[in-house]
Amino acid sequence: MTATILQGKEVAKSIREELAIEVAELKKQGIVPGLTVVLVGDDPASHSYVRGKSKGCEEVGIHSELILKEASTTEEELLAIIHELNENPNVHGILVQLPLPAHISEKAVIAAIHPEKDVDGFHPISVGNMVLGNETMLPCTPHGVIELIKRTGTDIAGKHAVVIGRSNIVGKPVSLLLQQENATVTMCHSRTQNLEEHTRRADILVVATGRAHMIGKEHVKPGAVVIDVGVNRIETGKLVGDVKFDEVKEVASFLTPVPGGVGPMTITMLLKNTVVAARKQAQL
């Protein structure tokens, strides 16, 4: 068996085309979805991510603004900016790019964003609603993972899913979303013993550890859907995932590449959340 490669950029392109049509319809009703990104400091990776978000907004017709602040910006100054954005009716989505400088509390900043404008899906109210299964803003990467699995034609209901990694950003939320799709979910992490015994039973394997090439073909059940969320830069400068791609593609039925797999879906789900937020705030 050779896996079908799940090109996230192709799925993302299809979703963005659908969003562009939706945004055009909203504009006919006088509603221009707006996203404001706040970037504090000069982290090169953060600047790269922000450029991708701005390009995505332009592609689907979302109005985007970028607020750049120096690393010396105080927490009080940043919270004041968020308050202004919360009150601005033309701003439907607010995203504060992480990580923040060490002197600023990420928890305080995330909590300050109005839940209706929390297009990252990180606010405690958004997370609580997700846990309860209520309609809410879903975190972008986990949402993108679920969309990718669905686009394979896989019926998630009744499948055994194994998630490796328990971060608040990916591992925990993706396990919850899989449960809401009626999968039976096993969560593994750095202290899981006999990891291979768990992963070999997975119909769906989601790997989000941030450890390059930790999952080989011996970990994968033949025919499994494998989603590699990891992005790691190795000594040669090449970007690789948590999965040994060349090995696992000979065993899995579907496999995401790195780069080009989950990454494009993350920004696309951010765009989708912004459009959803605009609709809700316009009470449509």
Side-chain angles (χ1 to χ4, degrees):
M1 175 183 294
T2 300
T4 298
I5 306 307
L6 270 176
Q7 297 290 354
K9 57 187 176 183
E10 293 179 5
V11 178
K13 182 175 181 290
S14 174
I15 295 172
R16 290 185 189 196
E17 288 171 353
E18 296 165 6
L19 287 173
I21 294 170
E22 189 174 354
V23 169
E25 290 298 319
L26 285 171
K27 287 181 176 178
K28 289 178 183 178
Q29 301 175 61
I31 302 160
V32 182
L35 171 68
T36 296
V37 177
V38 183
L39 176 55
V40 182
D42 53 7
D43 178 70
S46 293
H47 279 267
S48 176
Y49 294 146
V50 167
R51 284 194 296 271
K53 289 163 184 173
S54 297
K55 184 179 178 181
C57 285
E58 183 179 352
E59 186 179 330
V60 303
I62 292 172
H63 175 71
S64 68
E65 291 188 359
L66 173 61
I67 298 175
L68 283 171
K69 303 301 291 184
E70 295 180 353
S72 58
T73 299
T74 67
E75 183 174 312
E76 291 72 20
E77 289 170 333
L78 181 54
L79 292 175
I81 291 169
I82 293 170
H83 177 71
E84 289 180 10
L85 296 173
N86 282 337
E87 298 300 316
N88 188 338
N90 296 318
V91 176
H92 302 104
I94 303 168
L95 186 150
V96 178
Q97 183 65 47
L98 303 178
L100 290 167
H103 65 277
I104 299 177
S105 165
E106 290 186 0
K107 286 184 179 180
V109 168
I110 290 168
I113 298 170
H114 195 291
E116 286 188 354
K117 299 189 177 189
D118 170 38
V119 288
D120 244 347
F122 290 166
H123 193 284
I125 288 177
S126 303
V127 174
N129 278 322
M130 179 179 61
V131 171
L132 294 171
N134 297 333
E135 184 178 344
T136 191
M137 293 291 180
L138 297 176
C140 300
T141 299
H143 194 186
V145 167
I146 298 299
E147 282 293 321
L148 276 175
I149 296 170
K150 288 182 175 179
R151 298 276 173 144
T152 68
T154 300
D155 184 2
I156 298 175
K159 296 295 192 300
H160 183 194
V162 173
V163 178
I164 310 178
R166 52 180 170 178
S167 72
N168 291 330
I169 295 174
V170 180
K172 289 177 184 176
V174 84
S175 69
L176 285 166
L177 295 179
L178 284 164
Q179 289 176 66
Q180 289 170 17
E181 296 291 338
N182 297 309
T184 298
V185 181
T186 299
M187 287 194 71
C188 299
H189 45 78
S190 59
R191 298 191 181 183
T192 298
Q193 297 181 7
N194 303 316
L195 179 63
E196 187 179 325
E197 292 182 12
H198 297 285
T199 59
R200 288 279 299 182
R201 296 199 296 268
D203 303 304
I204 299 167
L205 180 61
V206 179
V207 190
T209 66
R211 292 175 57 193
H213 292 158
M214 73 166 289
I215 297 299
K217 63 182 180 180
E218 70 277 7
H219 293 91
V220 179
K221 176 182 177 180
V225 175
V226 181
I227 308 294
D228 188 354
V229 187
V231 180
N232 312 280
R233 193 173 294 279
I234 58 176
E235 292 178 359
T236 61
K238 182 181 179 182
L239 286 178
V240 300
D242 295 348
V243 172
K244 295 177 181 175
F245 183 86
D246 290 337
E247 280 190 16
V248 172
K249 74 178 182 182
E250 302 302 324
V251 182
S253 60
F254 291 91
L255 174 62
T256 57
V258 176
V262 175
M265 294 297 293
T266 298
I267 293 178
T268 299
M269 292 300 108
L270 171 68
L271 304 178
K272 184 167 184 150
N273 279 351
T274 302
V275 174
V276 169
R279 279 193 174 278
K280 284 184 178 178
Q281 289 164 48
Q283 299 182 332
L284 292 179

